[in-house]
Every structure is written in C-alpha cells, then in structure tokens.
C-alpha cells in the first residue's frame, strides 16, 4: 500500500487534536442485565456486580491502548445497563437503593467514571417496579458517586404521562435536598426525557435499551473546537458554503469515532453499535457550542438569530456525520448544556441567554434544557411544568428532548454554583415568577398527537 | 501491535529548528530496528515540522515503548514528538 496521505492532511489531524480539543468523548459499553432478575434483591445485586465486572473488565484498558496507538484522546470510558426498573421488578424489596450501590461498586471496580441505567420508561404509565425505582432515585444519587439516572416520561406515540411529570418535579427537588452539601449535585446525574434513544452513549441519560444486544460498544465523538475553527476561518462565507465546510469537518470527526468504536469492539470481541454525532462541549476555552454560534456572526449566544444558527449547525453536523459512519444513533446533534459550555455561561452572565431562549433552541438541537441551575426555592410544580414544556416540544416534533435541571439549595439568582470537572459551573438562572400548580395537579396523560397515527 | 494490516506509524516532530533533530529521532528508531520509509520536512510558521513514515513491523519493542522513547528524546532536544498509527490518517482523510 503506497503512502497516500499528504503532509497537510497529517498536520490537519494533529492540529485538530492538539489545538482544537478533538477527542472521543466517550466509549460506552452497553450491558444487558435482564438475566440478573431475582426475587431476592441481594442475589440481584450480586448478579449485577458480577456481570458488569466480568463484561467490562478490559474496557478501560482497551480504551487506553487505542488512545495511545492512535494518538486520539478518549476522555471517558463508561457503562450503560438495562433500565434497572425492568431488572429489579421481580425483587420483593421496597426500594432499589441497594442496586444503585452495586452499580456504583462495579463502576469503581472496572474504573469507569459513570454508569447509566438507573432508569425507568414510564411514558404511558408506571408498573410497580417503575414506581419503586423512581422513588429510590433521590437516595440512590445522594449515596452513590457514579450512578446516573434517567426517566422517560413522554413519547410521540404515547403522549405525556403528566402523573410522572408531576412526580419527577418532586424527585428533582428531593434529590437536590439530599445533596445540598454539594449544591444539589445529584440532579446533575438525573435526566427526564421525552422520546429517549435506547443507544445513547452520553451521560447522564445513557441506558442499554430493551432492543439492544447482550453487550455493545457505542461511541460519542466531540469536536466543537474543530468546528469553531472552521467557522472562524470563513467569516464572510454565505450559509450554503459554511454548511458545506461544517459538513466536511463533521465527516472527519465522525470518522475518528467510527475507527475507535470499531477497533474497541474488535478488541473487546463484542458488537459495535453506533457513533453518536453530537457536538458535546466542555468547560475548556474554545470547546464551546455557543462560541460557534457567535462566530457565525451573533454578538452573543441567545440573541435573535441564535435558533436559526443552531438549526443550521445541527443539521450540517448530522449530514457530514451520516456520510462518515455506517451506523449513526444516540442523540446525534449539538448539545447545549449551560454549565458545561464556557460560551453559554458567558452569555447567561451577560444577560443574553435565558431559559425561554434555551427552550426555543431545544426545538432544533438534540437534547433539551441541560445543566441549568435555578433558584433553590423553585417549586416542584414549576420544575414539573418546565419538564412538561420540553416533553411537549419533543412529542410534537418527534424528537428527543430532555431536562436536567438543578434547583440549587439555598442559592438565588445572581449567585454561581460550581460542580467541577466536565460538569463545569453555572450562574443561577431565573424561572417565571408565575405558578403552574393547578395545571400540574390535574394529572393524567396528555394524549399522543395526531401525527402519532401514522400506521 | 494488535493492528491488522499496516504496521506503519506516523512520527511528527514540531519545534524550533536546530542541529541534530533528524539525527536524534533517527537514532532512536534505528536502535529499536524501526525502518524509516519516508521523511518530509517544512518550516511552518517559523516552526520546524518533520513528518516520518516509519515501519515498525520488525521493531524490537512494543509501540508504546517506542513512543515513550521518542517523546523522551523530544524533550531532550526541545521539540514535541508524537507518534500515531497510520490508520488514523487513512481513516480520517480517505474513504
């Protein structure tokens, strides 16, 4: 095979990694725990611990090998498991906190920084197991370090389970309360979804869906810095040209994800699932989605035009990425987590970006209101109403939406909360001072929209 | 190496130009029986940039060990050396 790569191409790849923070955000191993069900919760816990530690034994090692050989940083190695509500349903125990402990211990044993799947899918209604799981969430997140939880409360096919929406407002408040020493950090590990994908590799919303194989490798790429550089290099290009440039870049980023995912799957001898094409920002300078939007010509992220800019960016990333990978899945779009994106934080602090604009932006990007800190005295009903709004956007637009919101105990607008690491820091954002209590207390289910009837 | 086909790596050296960079890197490679297939060098924004394509099929040490040796050598000379498997570039820039 002749050497067919040019010097420029080699230097481009090296620049992307060294100067523009190109990395593989996560290799996530999905593990089915469906065979771990048992009436005795102690036995279930043991089976779960044994299966995870055995299947994921080499995950971190293989990740580090690939990282070294290919010279591409792989930031996180993680695990997603079958929604625990399904696995634990057979248990006679009153709550599932013990299972969260087992997941946490297994994660520590194999060296992954997060394990997702303390989850329930309740978009149409709750089983006994779902209910026990949901009420176990606050204590589980408070007492474990690495366990992530998610609850799907709505879907385009089923509508919005408003009873679950109401409960999740209370669960989020309770989680914040139990982790108040750490500014409500528990809520950063809890996502409420509409139309949740079953193969998402990104935390905190990852779990191993029921249609997935025994084990699987999913990869999440990243690269806001690389896209930012491309946009900055084309300050006057019309949108058609700019979209095309972003597509080319997304293609290259995704190829890395595909290479790493396939190689990891091969070395671990388990099937390769999907590449998630999301642009996932970090608090590092230059690794920001907001910066890309501003580089397109907006004075501050959040001003008029932001939704259009994000729509164009999200679509171009998908188009480029879809060409680069055989299997695309997960969330696949731009993430707009406030606390994890330096540009978003700046925009909030400058008064350019508020919850209402963020809500509009979630109509055109992959997730939703993500890592948003609100005053600690925000009522459970208001949080439920925020969840209901997001779920409605997802349900009507046939897309995934999510809410990861932190009512920071004892803090108010004007203050800042620091979560540290990839979770970053966030200014407390105001919520509406008008209530939604009577609306939330109606309960029941918002029917599925007319376009769910597409058979 | 657990890689299938190619046993080639790309070694890149970036830093201020000075006497002995190529010699230093080539010495490390020769010491462990890694074969240099191609060298190109340019001055990029006043930085010396050298790219070597190296075959490590017959290399006497593991890739990670060789990479460590190269990085150490780079620190000694005062340049930044990185080594990556060739697949990365093939995969990113070619379909």
């Amino acid at each position: 095979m002749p050497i067919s790569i040019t010097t420029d191409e080699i230097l481009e790849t090296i620049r992307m990694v060294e100067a523009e923070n190109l990395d593989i955000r996560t290799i996530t191993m999905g593990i089915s725990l469906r065979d771990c069900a048992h009436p005795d919760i102690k036995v279930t816990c043991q089976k779960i611990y044994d299966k995870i530690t055995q299947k994921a034994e080499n995950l971190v090692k293989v990740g580090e090998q690939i990282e070294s050989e290919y010279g591409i940083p792989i930031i996180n190695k993680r695990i997603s498991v079958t929604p625990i509500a399904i696995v634990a349903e057979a248990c006679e125990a009153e709550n599932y906190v013990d299972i969260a402990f087992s997941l946490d211990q297994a994660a520590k044993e194999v060296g992954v920084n997060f394990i997702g799947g303390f989850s329930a899918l309740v978009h149409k209604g709750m089983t006994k197991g779902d209910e026990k799981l949901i009420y176990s969430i606050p204590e589980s997140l408070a007492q474990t370090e690495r366990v992530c939880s998610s609850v799907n409360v709505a879907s385009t096919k089923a509508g919005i389970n408003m009873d679950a929406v109401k409960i999740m407002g209370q669960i989020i408040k309770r989680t914040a309360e139990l982790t108040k020493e750490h500014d409500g950090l528990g809520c950063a590990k809890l996502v409420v979804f509409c139309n949740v994908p079953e193969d998402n590799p990104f935390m905190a919303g990852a779990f191993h869906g029921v249609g997935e194989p025994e084990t699987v490798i999913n990869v999440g790429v990243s690269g806001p810095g690389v896209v930012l550089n491309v946009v900055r290099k084309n300050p006057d290009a019309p949108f058609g040209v700019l979209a095309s440039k972003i597509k080319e870049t997304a293609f290259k980023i995704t190829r890395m994800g595909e290479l790493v995912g396939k190689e990891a799957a091969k070395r671990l001898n388990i099937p390769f699932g999907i590449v998630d094409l999301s642009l996932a920002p970090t608090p590092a300078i230059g690794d920001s989605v907001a910066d890309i939007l501003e580089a397109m010509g907006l004075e501050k992220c959040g001003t008029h035009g932001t939704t259009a800019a994000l729509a164009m960016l999200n679509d171009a990333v998908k188009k480029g990425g879809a060409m680069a990978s055989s299997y695309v899945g997960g969330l696949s779009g731009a993430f707009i987590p406030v606390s994890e994106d330096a540009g978003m934080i700046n925009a909030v602090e400058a008064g350019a970006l508020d919850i209402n604009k963020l809500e509009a932006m979630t109509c055109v990007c992959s997730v939703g209101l993500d890592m948003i800190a609100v005053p600690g005295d925000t009522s459970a009903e208001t949080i439920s109403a925020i969840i209901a709004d997001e779920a409605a956007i997802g349900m009507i637009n046939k897309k995934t939406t999510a809410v990861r919101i932190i009512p920071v105990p004892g803090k108010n607008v004007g203050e800042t909360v620091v979560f540290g690491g990839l979770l970053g820091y966030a200014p407390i954002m105001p919520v509406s001072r008008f209530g939604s209590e009577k609306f939330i207390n109606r309960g029941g289910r918002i029917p599925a929209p007319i376009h769910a009837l597409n058979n | 190496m657990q890689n299938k086909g190619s046993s080639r790596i790309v070694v890149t050296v970036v830093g201020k130009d000075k006497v002995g960079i190529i010699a230093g890197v080539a010495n490390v490679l020769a010491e462990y029986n890694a074969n240099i297939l191609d060298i190109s060098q340019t001055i990029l924004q006043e930085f010396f940039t050298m790219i070597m394509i190296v075959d490590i099929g017959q290399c006497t040490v593991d890739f990670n060990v060789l990479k460590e040796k190269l990085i150490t050598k780079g620190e000694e000379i005062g340049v930044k050396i990185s080594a990556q498997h060739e697949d990365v570039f093939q995969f990113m820039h070619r379909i």
Side-chain angles (χ1 to χ4, degrees), chain A residues 3 23 34 56 93 129 163 171 212 234-235 299 320 370-371 382 389 426:
Chain A
I3 293 154
D23 55 49
R34 270 150 58 177
D163 293 325
I171 294 290
E212 297 285 310
N234 293 277
E299 188 181 348
D370 196 12
M371 288 304 287
T382 294
D389 280 344

Side-chain angles (χ1 to χ4, degrees), chain A residues 148-163:
Chain A
C148 290
S149 177
S150 55
V151 177
N152 192 58
V153 296
S155 77
T156 301
K157 281 281 183 187
I160 305 175
N161 181 348
M162 289 300 288
D163 293 325

Side-chain angles (χ1 to χ4, degrees), chain A residues 94-145:
Chain A
E94 280 313 300
N95 70 64
Y96 301 155
V97 179
D98 285 346
I99 297 182
F101 278 122
S102 292
L103 292 171
D104 203 40
Q105 280 162 8
K108 284 174 181 159
E109 174 61 29
V110 299
V112 297
N113 63 352
F114 281 120
I115 183 163
F118 199 77
S119 306
L121 310 176
V122 298
H123 35 278
K124 211 164 188 180
M126 288 186 205
T127 65
K128 275 189 300 180
D130 292 331
E131 213 172 313
K132 284 184 194 170
L133 181 117
I134 287 174
Y135 284 109
S136 306
I137 289 174
E139 211 181 316
S140 298
L141 294 183
Q143 295 190 22
T144 60
E145 185 192 335

